[in-house]
Amino acid sequence: MPSAPAVLIVTLDGPAGVGKSTLAARLAGELGIAFLDTGAMFRAAAYTLGEGAWDWSQGIVQQKLGEFEFTLRGSGKNTELLLGGQPLPQEIRSERVGLWASQLAVVPSVRAYMKMAQIFLGQTTSLVAEGRDMGTVVFPGATHKFFLDADPEERARRRCRQLEAQGKPADFAKIAENIRQRDDQDRNRSIAPLKPAPDAVLVDTTHITEGEVLETVLRVVRGG
Ligand code: DC
């Protein structure tokens, strides 16, 4: 019997505002595979369950998440992540929901559910998977692993530029504070904290363009 074609998994981890989502979409396009924005999964859960869900009992959270079903459609920049067959609402992208997601992400039953759902998606679909714990916890056997980092100030500036490009108000001080708070929560939680996998390639994006980051990563993926 012919063996099933191997699934390619490339992991991109790093802090908020480092440029993972843009890179994931472009890299997936170059490789002709889908990308998985795992932050969007946490954001969708936080938005659907609402503020304060991180204080609910583990049993209730588990029961609510049991009703969730994430699926992927398409590839490259046209990849769509669906929840219950529906596209995720734009509201999940707000700074407020980002902070909720970071708070919800410390809850053990939430992490367990997300890990299971992400592994399930990666069993049948080649992926560029981006998040905080892709290379360390969810896909420890990934084909290639990258950890992106950049100065917090530069990340806040990029986030401001992104919001301004969308015609939205951008308050640098507030965004920098939000990034600081999320960095602190994401790096210091006890389960699956943000850190590079021992075998990840580290890329500091502070002083290089998006195009240069893509080239660096592609060189490793294609050469390896
Ligand atoms: O990547 P993002 O900013 O959209 O993620 C939102 C929050 O979700 C982030 O602050 C922490 C959490 N998250 C996580 O804990 N693990 C992941 N793999 C992805 C996101």
Side-chain angles (χ1 to χ4, degrees), residues 165-204:
Q166 294 163 7
K168 293 182 186 152
D171 178 332
F172 179 80
K174 263 197 204 148
I175 288 171
E177 173 55 20
N178 181 302
I179 283 190
R180 195 205 54 74
Q181 237 179 304
R182 285 215 280 150
D183 274 6
D184 188 49
Q185 274 171 183
D186 296 348
R187 291 185 203 265
N188 295 315
R189 65 183 175 223
S190 55
I191 313 173
L194 169 66
K195 63 173 181 196
D199 52 346
V201 175
L202 307 183
V203 185
D204 186 335

Side-chain angles (χ1 to χ4, degrees), residues 1-216:
M1 216 170 65
S3 58
V7 165
L8 170 70
I9 305 282
V10 179
T11 62
L12 303 180
D13 289 304
V18 78
K20 297 184 302 289
S21 301
T22 315
L23 176 65
R26 290 180 71 182
L27 181 61
E30 290 287 337
L31 300 174
I33 62 178
F35 73 89
L36 180 62
D37 175 354
T38 61
M41 296 172 78
F42 284 90
R43 285 169 181 266
Y47 179 72
T48 307
L49 301 181
E51 186 172 15
W54 44 90
D55 291 327
W56 295 355
S57 78
Q58 296 284 311
I60 302 269
V61 172
Q62 238 164 3
Q63 185 199 327
K64 295 273 181 201
L65 291 177
E67 294 162 13
F68 279 40
E69 194 200 4
F70 286 102
T71 47
L72 277 175
R73 197 162 64 187
S75 66
K77 68 175 173 31
N78 297 320
T79 306
E80 274 188 292
L81 177 64
L82 308 172
L83 174 56
Q86 300 298 316
L88 306 182
Q90 258 314 308
E91 290 89 329
I92 68 163
R93 297 293 165 195
S94 71
E95 293 297 305
R96 190 172 61 126
V97 174
L99 214 46
W100 290 1
S102 178
Q103 279 173 272
L104 192 64
V106 305
V107 177
S109 55
V110 173
R111 293 228 73 85
Y113 168 80
M114 291 297 175
K115 181 178 169 186
M116 183 200 68
Q118 291 153 7
I119 289 174
F120 182 73
L121 289 169
Q123 268 169 356
T124 50
T125 313
S126 287
L127 293 175
V128 175
E130 63 104 338
R132 304 291 188 288
D133 58 343
M134 295 296 100
T136 48
V137 174
V138 179
F139 298 113
T143 325
H144 298 283
K145 298 181 186 180
F146 297 90
F147 189 90
L148 308 185
D149 213 344
D151 286 351
E153 284 232 334
E154 175 57 21
R155 288 189 275 130
R157 269 194 295 275
R158 286 180 191 167
R159 184 78 186 120
C160 282
R161 280 199 297 269
Q162 219 175 34
L163 288 170
E164 281 160 1
Q166 294 163 7
K168 293 182 186 152
D171 178 332
F172 179 80
K174 263 197 204 148
I175 288 171
E177 173 55 20
N178 181 302
I179 283 190
R180 195 205 54 74
Q181 237 179 304
R182 285 215 280 150
D183 274 6
D184 188 49
Q185 274 171 183
D186 296 348
R187 291 185 203 265
N188 295 315
R189 65 183 175 223
S190 55
I191 313 173
L194 169 66
K195 63 173 181 196
D199 52 346
V201 175
L202 307 183
V203 185
D204 186 335
T205 76
T206 310
H207 302 295
I208 57 176
T209 64
E210 277 175 19
E212 286 167 332
V213 179
L214 177 65
E215 263 175 48
T216 305

